């Protein structure tokens, strides 16, 4: 992709409305544009990152046995009245009427709709377990939307819903999602720590928030330092082995970890002082078991092996991809801009032509671009006529992991300067060697 033909509206000045780092950098890097309070348009660079994040989420949900669907954004109020939530939800729900004066709503979540889908088709325990998920835009009319996409009114959400015959099955489904979340965040370069969350009137211990540590985090968190060195399960994890998965969950829930709301000072004092870590954190995911909360009032039941009808035991599992992108930036940036983990970077490589129009520079850059394509790397080619300082500032701001810099002197002697965005390390390589490394011919 040539930068001269790309829509990348870089802002030189820091927007006054941006209070936190991620909001400032997303606006400055031309990733998003605010359309209304808490509502944003995702521009080409931001959309590329969002697609990368969604793909990782999909792969790990699929690996854990969840099945992707897509549900409507506009829902019938009747379903919510059936569950008892329509009048209880509050002003965050956007209530509307269609032309026939039927009560509708813009969905803030999908428990009722997915339960309706389930009860329409699933009648026997033989069709369980079942986990359905989708990635869909939601709307919650926040009183004070703030911090950019970190707390917006319109946002993208991956929400999954599990259905099981009994609590034991629901616990196994919960554990699978727990491990899938560990893997999902690790693949995005994040160390997410599962912290016990409030289960409300349902009770029990099956509710966890996944928190990443960041100085600009919204809430105070307390955890054992050993979490920082714990190994996330690999690709060979067998999600069909309930005992193995339960063992992983047990290992990740044994050390102390709690948000400020769930913090237990007496339990905290039992953690050796040298092993205590008090920090700030950002929630990037939440998993929750709620049993028969929706299946019972909505009559979502199946016939068990004994021939008796029973209400299914359910759980829900959320990740906000749009919010997650802001969290990644909060955890990975410097004074010059964003530092993307390679797995979610909008491009793998930026080729910077220091003198467009110079035959040798143009030829070397074209070879590098072609080699990147041949090697399966996504490349942004800065072929603009901007000054060197502006080119470097843009490359650092948008955070592409690898910068290949071609100037007249290097082009003449067959060398390319390589800069790694994360470390700032610079190296000079032979063009022919670099082409071979990238996947092209010298």
């Amino acid at each position: 992709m040539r930068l001269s033909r790309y829509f990348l509206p870089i802002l030189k000045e820091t927007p006054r409305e941006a209070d936190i780092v991620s909001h400032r950098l997303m606006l400055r890097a031309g990733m998003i544009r605010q359309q209304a309070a808490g509502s944003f348009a995702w521009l080409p660079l931001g959309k590329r990152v969002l697609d990368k994040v969604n793909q990782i989420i999909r792969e790990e949900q699929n690996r854990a046995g969840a099945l992707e669907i897509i549900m409507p954004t506009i829902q019938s109020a009747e379903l919510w009245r059936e569950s008892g939530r329509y009048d209880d939800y509050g002003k965050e729900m956007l209530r509307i009427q269609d032309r026939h004066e039927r009560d509708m709503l813009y969905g803030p979540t999908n428990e009722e709709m997915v339960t309706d889908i389930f009860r329409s088709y699933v009648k026997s325990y033989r069709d369980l377990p079942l986990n359905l998920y989708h990635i869909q835009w939601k709307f919650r009319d926040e009183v004070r939307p703030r911090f950019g996409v970190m707390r917006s009114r319109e946002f993208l959400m991956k929400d999954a819903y599990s259905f099981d015959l009994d609590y034991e099955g629901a616990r196994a489904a919960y554990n699978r999602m727990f491990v899938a979340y560990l893997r999902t965040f690790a693949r995005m370069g994040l160390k997410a720590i599962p912290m016990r969350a409030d289960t409300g009137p349902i009770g029990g211990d099956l509710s966890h928030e996944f928190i990443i540590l960041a100085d600009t985090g919204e809430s105070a968190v307390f955890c054992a330092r050993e979490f920082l060195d714990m190994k996330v399960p690999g690709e060979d994890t067998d999600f069909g082995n309930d005992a193995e998965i339960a063992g992983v969950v047990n290992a990740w829930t044994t050390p102390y970890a709690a948000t400020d709301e769930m913090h237990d000072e007496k339990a905290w004092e039992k953690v050796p002082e040298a092993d205590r870590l008090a920090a700030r954190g950002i929630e990037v995911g939440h998993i929750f078991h709620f049993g028969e909360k929706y299946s019972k009032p909505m009559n979502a039941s199946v016939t068990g092996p004994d021939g008796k009808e029973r209400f299914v035991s359910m759980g829900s599992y959320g990740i906000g991809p749009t919010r997650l992108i802001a969290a990644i930036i909060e955890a990975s940036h410097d004074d010059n801009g964003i530092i993307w983990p390679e797995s979610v970077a909008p491009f793998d490589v930026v080729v910077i032509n220091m003198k467009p129009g110079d035959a040798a520079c143009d030829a070397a850059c074209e070879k590098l671009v072609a080699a990147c394509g041949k090697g399966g790397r996504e490349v942004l080619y800065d072929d603009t006529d901007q000054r060197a300082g502006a080119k470097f500032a843009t490359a650092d701001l948008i955070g592409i992991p690898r910068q290949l810099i071609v100037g007249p002197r290097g082009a003449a002697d067959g060398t390319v300067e390589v800069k790694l965005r994360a470390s700032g390390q610079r190296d000079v390589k032979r063009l022919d060697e670099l082409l071979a490394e990238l996947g092209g011919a010298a």
Side-chain angles (χ1 to χ4, degrees), residues 215-235:
D215 292 338
T216 52
E218 298 171 291
S219 58
V221 296
F222 306 84
C223 65
R225 289 187 180 276
E226 64 185 279
F227 277 111
L228 302 181
D229 299 317
M230 291 181 69
K231 186 178 179 182
V232 172
E235 288 188 12

Side-chain angles (χ1 to χ4, degrees), residues 335-401:
D335 291 341
N336 296 320
I338 302 165
I339 303 174
W340 290 117
E342 292 186 8
S343 59
V344 298
F347 296 93
D348 302 310
V349 178
V350 56
V351 174
I352 303 175
N353 188 338
M354 298 301 295
K355 193 174 181 181
D358 179 271
C361 286
D362 291 349
C365 288
E366 294 290 352
K367 289 181 180 179
L368 289 168
V369 170
C372 286
K374 186 177 181 180
R377 294 175 175 83
E378 296 175 308
V379 59
L380 180 65
Y381 175 25
D382 186 348
D383 60 340
T384 65
D385 58 2
Q386 288 186 316
R387 293 178 290 107
K391 287 175 177 280
F392 294 147
T394 294
D396 283 348
L397 174 62
I398 63 178
I400 297 173

Side-chain angles (χ1 to χ4, degrees), residues 179-437:
V179 175
Y181 273 40
L182 289 177
R183 284 190 41 78
T184 297
F185 300 127
R187 288 184 57 188
M188 297 179 194
L190 299 172
K191 172 65 76 171
I193 300 173
M195 301 192 178
R196 188 168 56 87
D198 186 12
T199 57
I202 297 171
D205 62 352
L206 291 189
S207 182
H208 286 86
E209 294 177 358
F210 288 77
I211 304 289
I212 64 169
L213 304 182
D215 292 338
T216 52
E218 298 171 291
S219 58
V221 296
F222 306 84
C223 65
R225 289 187 180 276
E226 64 185 279
F227 277 111
L228 302 181
D229 299 317
M230 291 181 69
K231 186 178 179 182
V232 172
E235 288 188 12
D236 59 347
T237 300
D238 183 2
F239 281 94
N241 187 329
D242 289 347
E244 177 184 334
I245 296 299
V248 174
V249 173
N250 182 64
W252 279 84
T253 54
T254 298
Y256 186 87
T259 60
D260 193 32
E261 294 81 2
M262 299 295 291
H263 184 49
D264 183 341
E265 193 63 36
K266 290 184 178 180
W268 182 239
E269 290 175 355
K270 295 179 181 179
V271 179
E273 188 170 354
D275 295 334
R276 299 177 193 170
L277 178 60
R280 306 293 298 180
I282 300 172
E283 179 191 336
V284 292
H286 192 173
I287 61 177
F288 192 88
H289 168 257
F290 45 69
E292 299 175 356
K293 181 178 181 180
Y294 298 95
S295 62
K296 192 170 185 178
M298 297 185 70
N299 196 29
S301 62
V302 296
T303 302
D306 57 1
K308 296 181 179 180
E309 288 288 316
R310 62 185 71 181
F311 299 113
V312 290
S313 187
M314 295 174 57
S316 68
Y317 316 90
I319 294 176
T322 45
R323 173 186 172 87
L324 181 55
I325 291 173
I328 292 171
I329 295 172
E330 292 290 333
S332 184
H333 68 273
D334 61 17
D335 291 341
N336 296 320
I338 302 165
I339 303 174
W340 290 117
E342 292 186 8
S343 59
V344 298
F347 296 93
D348 302 310
V349 178
V350 56
V351 174
I352 303 175
N353 188 338
M354 298 301 295
K355 193 174 181 181
D358 179 271
C361 286
D362 291 349
C365 288
E366 294 290 352
K367 289 181 180 179
L368 289 168
V369 170
C372 286
K374 186 177 181 180
R377 294 175 175 83
E378 296 175 308
V379 59
L380 180 65
Y381 175 25
D382 186 348
D383 60 340
T384 65
D385 58 2
Q386 288 186 316
R387 293 178 290 107
K391 287 175 177 280
F392 294 147
T394 294
D396 283 348
L397 174 62
I398 63 178
I400 297 173
R402 201 175 189 188
Q403 301 174 15
L404 307 182
I405 305 164
V406 178
R409 183 178 299 176
D413 61 17
T415 61
V416 178
E417 184 175 4
V418 179
K419 176 183 174 181
L420 302 182
R421 177 67 182 92
S423 65
Q425 177 184 339
R426 292 174 177 266
D427 193 13
V428 176
K429 291 193 173 185
R430 296 288 307 171
L431 176 60
D432 53 357
E433 294 175 357
L434 187 55
L435 290 172
E437 176 188 324

Side-chain angles (χ1 to χ4, degrees), residues 63-239:
R63 188 193 304 273
L67 303 172
E68 186 172 10
I69 61 175
I70 187 69
M71 290 179 272
T73 56
I74 303 298
Q75 303 183 29
S76 168
E78 290 308 310
L79 286 176
W80 285 66
R81 290 192 175 108
E82 198 175 343
S83 73
R85 280 209 300 174
Y86 185 74
D87 294 320
D88 296 340
Y89 199 88
K91 292 184 178 180
E92 289 78 20
M93 180 190 290
L94 182 62
R95 295 166 170 84
I96 56 181
Q97 285 189 333
D98 65 13
R99 67 171 64 198
H100 302 291
E101 298 185 349
R102 289 176 297 210
D103 291 332
M104 311 291 284
L105 58 99
Y106 195 117
T109 184
N110 280 74
E111 282 83 358
E112 284 82 0
M113 184 173 287
V114 77
T115 302
D116 181 52
I117 292 172
F118 175 87
R119 70 182 179 182
S120 298
Y121 300 106
V122 182
K123 306 299 180 183
S124 169
Y125 75 95
R126 293 185 178 87
D127 296 319
L128 301 178
L130 182 64
N131 190 320
L132 303 174
Y133 80 96
H134 70 164
I135 300 175
Q136 179 217 50
W137 291 95
K138 302 285 196 294
F139 187 91
R140 295 176 188 170
D141 199 0
E142 296 276 355
V143 176
R144 288 182 296 275
R146 54 182 179 157
F147 303 150
V149 299
M150 188 73 78
R151 186 177 294 278
S152 55
R153 293 196 300 167
E154 189 173 12
F155 54 94
L156 196 62
M157 175 67 71
K158 186 288 300 182
D159 38 330
Y161 304 93
S162 62
F163 303 85
D164 287 273
L165 183 64
D166 49 30
Y167 175 83
E168 288 70 24
R171 179 68 196 241
Y174 184 95
N175 289 346
R176 288 191 290 273
M177 286 292 102
F178 187 107
V179 175
Y181 273 40
L182 289 177
R183 284 190 41 78
T184 297
F185 300 127
R187 288 184 57 188
M188 297 179 194
L190 299 172
K191 172 65 76 171
I193 300 173
M195 301 192 178
R196 188 168 56 87
D198 186 12
T199 57
I202 297 171
D205 62 352
L206 291 189
S207 182
H208 286 86
E209 294 177 358
F210 288 77
I211 304 289
I212 64 169
L213 304 182
D215 292 338
T216 52
E218 298 171 291
S219 58
V221 296
F222 306 84
C223 65
R225 289 187 180 276
E226 64 185 279
F227 277 111
L228 302 181
D229 299 317
M230 291 181 69
K231 186 178 179 182
V232 172
E235 288 188 12
D236 59 347
T237 300
D238 183 2
F239 281 94

